[in-house]
Amino acid sequence: MTDSEPKILKVELRELQTLLRKKFSDELEVIEHHIEPLLPPGENYGSTMLKVDAVVKKNAQANREHLHLVAKMLPATEFQRKMFDSPYTFKKEAFLYQELIPSYQHLEREYDVKNSGIFDIVPELYGVRYSLKSNEDFDDDAVILMQNLKVLGYYTANRKEGLDLEHANVAILALARFHALGIAMRQHKPDQFEIIKKRSKCLDIEQDDSFEKVQQFYIKLMRKDPKISVHFERLNAAMTQETVTTWTAPPPEEWSTIVHSDFWVNNFMFRKDPNTGHVTDIKFVDFQNYLNLSPLRELTFFLMVSLDASTMENHFDNLLNFYYESFISVLKRLECNIQSFSKDKFDERMKIDAFHEFPHCPFMLRILSADVKNDLSSDQIENMMLGEQFTPLFIERLRRCVKKYAEKGWLGD
């Protein structure tokens, strides 16, 4: 970045009409539209999220319609664009919306899942564009245009507090189904799954000095904290494992599936029945980082960073069992071979995968516990992700995480 360039880059949605015509027809006309930020900079690290409200006519004879959309665009700093390799992750996410999820839905239909019960886990896609110049270019006009779930009554949970039991159960049920569908695809359509695996490749991770600095910061903190340091030797072993290898190495074949890999409270949205007040649906969002990985890595991450204190303390084992039962139920419904997925083998794999997942937890817990402002500078965004500042809430949540790891025997021998 040169001295003449702004630290926070301007992100602007252009040519909305051209983009929408790809979904509807060349007759569509955007009568008017309004765009504003959907989230403050510190609430989404890999992209800029814009709220788009448009009035359109699909043809000259049609009535006006209101479209409530979300435009996912490049992040606003060069640091974030480099860290998330935006050209790669945008195309990867578009593949999930356009190919991966539809292939899962097609598989379910082949096994007699009714349309009303199909796994409808993502917002409706309204268009994808990488550039206004050509199909080969990628630039600041890249956008994934989706349905605005908030207008339909969907909401995110409080990232600082985490999920209560009702919300956690809904999330676990959907997560188990998502993971099981990948395994079903691998067993029934291996050629197609191989294509999905290639498109799920992890972005290149560079372990530079900043990564090591953050790693050492967490290690030092764990050594000093009186409630965490009693487990320090095993925590240190977990923190100093080869992190890049654990993200890029293929999982054991029987546990190979597609995981979201960033499954925390900002990346799924719930909806309640207005009559009963109970949670009835969930949608997953932000698929920039999905991977071919063991599902139990993701399960560990979700349980450690997304539960409130009461749910983690009182219902942790019930949620583990609920995941397993839901996972097996989907595999049976899709007529999969489940010999590799006995409860004993599940528990054995959990110990291995939870240990590998541990370094991911303190990093995310600090982000979840941070105080976010709407006017963050480039330096502040970078410091929030890689700096050494933390809140008392972070220490509280890290202690809960370490305590649960120790109770479950997931820190190794």
Side-chain angles (χ1 to χ4, degrees):
M1 182 183 296
T2 65
D3 292 339
S4 62
E5 292 177 323
K7 289 187 175 181
I8 298 291
L9 305 173
K10 185 176 182 180
V11 180
E12 182 181 6
L13 176 61
R14 301 193 296 160
E15 298 290 341
L16 176 62
Q17 179 171 280
T18 303
L19 185 58
L20 287 172
R21 282 182 171 180
K22 294 180 180 180
K23 179 176 178 66
F24 297 105
S25 76
D26 289 341
E27 295 183 58
L28 178 135
E29 180 183 1
V30 175
I31 308 299
E32 58 182 278
H33 69 279
H34 175 74
I35 301 173
E36 62 184 63
L38 182 73
L39 299 170
E43 291 286 2
N44 192 283
Y45 298 93
S47 59
T48 298
M49 306 296 289
L50 301 176
K51 177 184 176 183
V52 183
D53 293 323
V55 177
V56 305
K57 290 184 67 174
K58 293 180 180 176
N59 56 60
Q61 290 74 41
N63 294 325
R64 292 187 176 197
E65 295 183 35
H66 289 261
L67 298 181
H68 302 286
L69 310 169
V70 170
K72 183 168 190 173
M73 303 190 70
L74 295 184
T77 72
E78 292 292 355
F79 164 74
Q80 290 165 286
R81 294 180 183 190
K82 180 180 178 182
M83 180 178 184
F84 289 97
D85 190 2
S86 293
Y88 174 70
T89 53
F90 257 67
K91 293 177 180 179
K92 179 179 179 181
E93 184 163 13
F95 174 82
L96 179 133
Y97 283 106
Q98 295 173 316
E99 303 290 341
L100 190 153
I101 295 298
S103 73
Y104 284 4
Q105 294 171 338
H106 180 73
L107 178 65
E108 285 192 316
R109 290 187 180 95
E110 289 185 355
Y111 284 86
D112 295 327
V113 176
K114 304 303 181 184
N115 282 336
S116 60
I118 289 295
F119 194 49
D120 184 18
I121 200 62
V122 297
E124 183 179 354
L125 182 68
Y126 277 77
V128 172
R129 180 178 69 208
Y130 302 129
S131 173
L132 284 170
K133 297 174 184 176
S134 74
N135 292 332
E136 287 73 36
D137 290 313
F138 185 93
D139 55 34
D140 284 7
D141 287 308
V143 57
I144 298 174
L145 193 65
M146 298 168 286
Q147 181 182 43
N148 187 340
L149 295 173
K150 288 188 175 182
V151 175
L152 300 178
Y154 288 86
Y155 59 92
T156 52
N158 186 309
R159 64 181 173 83
K160 289 187 175 183
E161 294 179 4
L163 306 181
D164 62 19
L165 181 60
E166 182 180 11
H167 287 83
N169 274 323
V170 172
I172 283 284
L173 182 64
L175 188 65
R177 187 173 179 182
F178 180 63
H179 293 160
L181 278 165
I183 288 175
M185 182 68 69
R186 174 172 55 79
Q187 290 192 11
H188 294 313
K189 298 181 183 292
D191 292 342
Q192 195 169 353
F193 186 75
E194 283 301 312
I195 295 172
I196 292 173
K197 278 173 57 177
K198 290 178 182 178
R199 299 300 294 266
S200 306
K201 180 179 177 294
C202 184
L203 58 81
D204 292 332
I205 302 174
E206 296 181 10
Q207 278 193 232
D208 56 15
D209 292 342
S210 61
F211 180 90
E212 185 175 350
K213 181 181 177 182
V214 173
Q215 182 187 52
Q216 290 303 313
F217 161 71
Y218 289 130
I219 292 172
K220 182 179 178 181
L221 186 152
M222 291 175 191
R223 182 188 292 117
K224 287 187 173 182
D225 186 87
K227 293 187 178 181
I228 296 177
S229 61
V230 293
H231 308 291
F232 179 73
E233 184 176 343
R234 288 179 291 171
L235 290 170
N236 187 52
M239 288 298 298
T240 54
Q241 64 183 297
E242 182 51 62
T243 306
V244 171
T245 301
T246 65
W247 284 107
T248 58
E253 181 65 18
E254 64 271 24
W255 291 103
S256 174
T257 191
I258 304 304
V259 304
H260 184 289
S261 90
D262 202 15
F263 200 70
W264 60 287
V265 292
N266 271 26
N267 290 337
F268 39 85
M269 302 180 71
F270 299 96
R271 185 169 64 178
K272 291 183 177 180
D273 183 315
N275 297 317
T276 66
H278 290 302
V279 183
T280 56
D281 196 23
I282 184 173
K283 300 285 188 187
F284 297 177
V285 296
D286 200 6
F287 281 94
Q288 294 178 129
N289 301 313
Y290 65 91
L291 298 171
N292 172 43
L293 207 64
S294 167
L296 307 192
R297 291 279 301 272
E298 179 145 274
L299 176 61
T300 302
F301 177 72
F302 167 77
L303 293 171
M304 290 298 169
V305 307
S306 293
L307 302 182
D308 67 20
S310 175
T311 304
M312 178 174 273
E313 179 67 26
N314 300 310
H315 303 288
F316 193 90
D317 286 347
N318 289 337
L319 288 170
L320 269 176
N321 291 332
F322 183 48
Y323 173 92
Y324 176 75
E325 292 165 2
S326 303
F327 176 77
I328 293 298
S329 176
V330 175
L331 293 178
K332 287 181 177 178
R333 185 170 72 242
L334 299 179
E335 300 180 19
C336 295
N337 184 335
I338 62 170
Q339 288 185 334
S340 300
F341 305 114
S342 69
K343 189 60 167 62
D344 287 344
K345 291 180 179 178
F346 175 87
D347 292 339
E348 180 183 342
R349 190 72 223 170
M350 277 297 304
K351 289 186 177 181
I352 297 169
D353 287 336
F355 180 81
H356 288 321
E357 190 64 20
F358 181 79
H360 194 189
C361 297
F363 178 83
M364 181 53 66
L365 286 172
R366 186 163 62 88
I367 291 175
L368 286 164
S369 306
D371 296 320
V372 174
K373 299 179 181 178
N374 291 339
D375 56 351
L376 292 176
S377 69
S378 172
D379 290 341
Q380 287 171 321
I381 291 174
E382 183 172 348
N383 189 57
M384 184 182 294
M385 300 179 74
L386 299 177
E388 297 186 358
Q389 287 72 25
F390 61 91
T391 63
L393 179 60
F394 164 64
I395 293 297
E396 178 186 328
R397 296 190 68 174
L398 182 60
R399 286 172 176 172
R400 291 205 299 262
C401 172
V402 170
K403 178 184 176 184
K404 189 58 66 176
Y405 257 87
E407 288 175 357
K408 301 302 295 180
W410 290 348
L411 289 172
D413 299 325

